[in-house]
Amino acid sequence: AKNSTALGPRRFGRARLAPRDPEVDMPPTPAPPAPFAMPQQSMIKTFAPMVVLYAMRGIDFAADEKALLILRVAFGVCHAIALLLSLFLLMRISQTKDMRTVTVEGEKQPFHEHDRRHILQGLKTLVMTCAIVIGMHAKWSYYNPLVLTSLQAILGFVDGPSAKLLSAHVFGKDIDRPFETPQPPSWLQDKKAELTEKKEKSDGNAKKTKSKKAN
């Protein structure tokens, strides 16, 4: 008792701590995951032909002359629009002559030369595709290629180099270069290979016939 009195009363309890700053001591709140964004333009370009072909599955173009005429007119109009837009872009590129440079395969090119090459490549692909499809339709009465190429001619200005050129030279947007070189659709490449094979076979048969006659 004497010792406790001499030392004084003991006080029990927690030590008082300095208040915490919630903005400093609290762990950072993790950011919510970003919502999954679908590439709208690529989705349209991918699924639009499938939807149109599905909607037209019940039309017999071989029996319905009116439907066949509408399909042919639509084919011509779509390709004419794509051709006119490409020529208009080519004219705009020649007028602006953007001299900023971009490196393509280790070589520096002015923007206008880079854009001009892409629009000329697009024109070449458009004309080649149109010629092949017309030949397929005239010889074998294929109808689906008319639908597919008509859509692709227009949708090329929604997604791809032609769409970027349209944004840059018509709407004045700053678009990064270089562009990726577009490839023809796989079904068209398969048909082209099939036509080439048939032509080689027919040429071979013709040579054999001539050699037999000569003998």
Side-chain angles (χ1 to χ4, degrees):
K2 290 181 180 180
N3 292 338
S4 61
T5 306
L7 293 174
R10 293 184 179 180
R11 296 180 179 179
F12 298 94
R14 295 182 178 179
R16 299 182 64 183
L17 300 176
R20 294 183 178 181
D21 187 354
E23 296 182 357
V24 175
D25 296 337
M26 294 296 292
T29 303
F36 179 72
M38 297 296 291
Q40 298 294 332
Q41 293 181 346
S42 298
M43 294 290 289
I44 293 173
K45 194 173 181 179
T46 301
F47 288 103
M50 298 171 59
V51 172
V52 173
L53 287 177
Y54 181 78
M56 298 175 62
R57 69 190 185 283
I59 302 176
D60 187 2
F61 292 104
D64 192 343
E65 294 183 359
K66 184 178 180 180
L68 180 59
L69 178 61
I70 293 174
L71 177 61
R72 289 172 175 172
V73 170
F75 174 83
V77 169
C78 289
H79 282 81
I81 292 173
L83 179 63
L84 291 175
L85 282 174
S86 299
L87 293 175
F88 174 72
L89 284 175
L90 186 62
M91 181 186 68
R92 292 284 295 174
I93 292 168
S94 301
Q95 289 176 348
T96 55
K97 286 190 177 180
D98 194 340
M99 298 304 297
R100 291 178 294 173
T101 58
V102 61
T103 303
V104 180
E105 296 179 355
E107 180 184 354
K108 287 188 175 181
Q109 293 180 2
F111 273 18
H112 72 90
E113 181 64 26
H114 170 270
D115 296 351
R116 181 175 173 273
R117 288 187 179 183
H118 271 277
I119 203 68
L120 289 176
Q121 180 64 33
L123 280 168
K124 181 180 177 181
T125 302
L126 180 69
V127 173
M128 181 185 69
T129 303
C130 188
I132 292 174
V133 171
I134 290 175
M136 291 164 55
H137 176 67
K139 191 168 185 178
W140 293 291
S141 299
Y142 289 160
Y143 304 109
N144 286 347
L146 296 178
V147 180
L148 293 173
T149 52
S150 299
L151 288 172
Q152 288 167 354
I154 298 300
L155 293 178
F157 292 91
V158 177
D159 187 17
S162 297
K164 294 178 181 179
L165 291 173
L166 194 67
S167 298
H169 294 282
V170 176
F171 299 104
K173 294 182 179 180
D174 191 9
I175 304 298
D176 294 333
R177 275 85 161 176
F179 302 151
E180 294 182 0
T181 303
Q183 298 295 330
S186 58
W187 66 267
L188 183 61
Q189 294 178 358
D190 295 340
K191 289 295 182 183
K192 186 178 178 181
E194 182 181 346
L195 291 175
T196 304
E197 185 178 356
K198 288 182 178 180
K199 184 179 180 182
E200 290 177 353
K201 287 182 179 180
S202 62
D203 292 343
N205 293 333
K207 289 181 180 179
K208 289 180 181 179
T209 304
K210 287 182 180 179
S211 61
K212 288 181 179 180
K213 289 181 179 180
N215 293 331

